[in-house]
Amino acid sequence: MITYIDLDIQKIVFSTLVIKVSSVVEKFDSIEKFSTQHNFSGVTNGNILMTAEMSSPPFQLEEFEQKVLIANGLVLQKDYLFIEELLTQGVRGEVSELINEPHPDCNDVEWLQSVIVSSGNYIWYLEPSLSDFERDANFRLFKNLLYCDVEKIQLNPRITHIDETYVHYTVSDSKMYYKIHRDALWYNELKYGKK
């Protein structure tokens, strides 16, 4: 069974298999057909399809990869990938050096962007048409909202434009828009460092 979740930004838990929906549709005609034919359960937001396993390595998901994904021509990193949830705090309370950084499992994947913050590991689908600057702006805005305004993250923020002073964005495709000063996203990091 597939559950639809209307959130662009998804949280990674345990060992997660993430599949690009367009690849599923291309190879299997629809998510529903894919799910029914291969007994696949997970969640989707219309761009990515995810399922998780509470073991590392995820033996059942790796078996699914071999029998279904690879057998049907899907390619690791081009069409799907495995992401391991990384802890943000150690047993003695020490904070991970990966906080505020992209998830290392997503480094070589062009269609997915990620960030690790103190509340967890998050991913989102990345439009291939975005420039490097727009990708960086999305990363910084989403990271900022995950810390400062989680309610807006749940309303699917979208950058509408960036001018010399502000990054303008909307939520839930509404006509109401918000703006955040570019210094809040770029300058403070230059001045105070990434952490």
Side-chain angles (χ1 to χ4, degrees):
M1 180 173 104
I2 301 295
T3 304
Y4 179 79
I5 299 176
D6 189 22
L7 288 173
D8 290 343
I9 298 177
Q10 297 289 317
K11 190 171 186 178
I12 293 299
V13 293
F14 308 115
S15 297
T16 303
L17 171 62
V18 181
I19 311 170
K20 187 167 39 168
V21 165
S22 60
S23 298
V24 170
V25 172
E26 180 183 320
K27 298 288 185 181
F28 303 95
D29 296 326
S30 71
I31 296 173
E32 183 180 348
K33 188 174 177 183
F34 171 72
S35 173
T36 304
Q37 283 180 344
H38 301 289
N39 196 27
F40 182 89
S41 294
V43 297
T44 186
N45 62 8
N47 290 315
I48 56 176
L49 180 61
M50 302 180 355
T51 192
E53 186 175 331
M54 284 182 63
S55 68
S56 182
F59 297 113
Q60 290 178 347
L61 291 178
E62 288 175 347
E63 182 180 353
F64 182 83
E65 172 194 26
Q66 292 296 320
K67 290 182 176 177
V68 177
L69 301 181
I70 293 174
N72 284 284
L74 273 71
V75 178
L76 182 65
Q77 294 185 331
K78 179 180 176 275
D79 301 304
Y80 70 93
L81 76 149
F82 289 95
I83 304 174
E84 291 289 327
E85 178 184 15
L86 298 177
L87 299 178
T88 58
Q89 204 169 35
V91 291
R92 293 188 180 96
E94 59 274 352
V95 177
S96 169
E97 70 255 1
L98 295 172
I99 294 286
N100 298 326
E101 296 294 329
H103 195 293
D105 291 346
C106 300
N107 284 346
D108 297 322
V109 180
E110 300 212 355
W111 50 274
L112 203 61
Q113 200 163 26
S114 62
V115 67
I116 299 172
V117 295
S118 55
S119 61
N121 302 203
Y122 295 89
I123 60 168
W124 59 93
Y125 178 76
L126 196 58
E127 287 294 331
S129 61
L130 294 179
S131 69
D132 288 342
F133 176 69
E134 290 169 319
R135 291 169 184 243
D136 188 45
N138 271 316
F139 172 79
R140 291 168 186 277
L141 175 64
F142 292 169
K143 179 171 71 169
N144 180 280
L145 293 176
L146 282 165
Y147 276 110
C148 303
D149 210 345
V150 176
E151 295 81 24
K152 285 184 185 167
I153 280 291
Q154 297 173 354
L155 296 173
N156 298 328
R158 303 257 195 304
I159 294 176
T160 55
H161 69 282
I162 302 170
D163 60 31
E164 294 298 316
T165 310
Y166 294 103
V167 173
H168 301 264
Y169 65 99
T170 185
V171 292
S172 297
D173 295 325
S174 69
K175 294 187 182 200
M176 179 183 268
Y177 80 94
Y178 301 88
K179 60 185 178 182
I180 185 167
H181 204 284
R182 285 176 63 151
D183 285 356
L185 301 181
W186 279 280
Y187 173 76
N188 288 339
E189 183 176 296
L190 293 174
K191 186 173 181 180
Y192 302 111
K194 286 189 173 189
K195 305 271 183 212

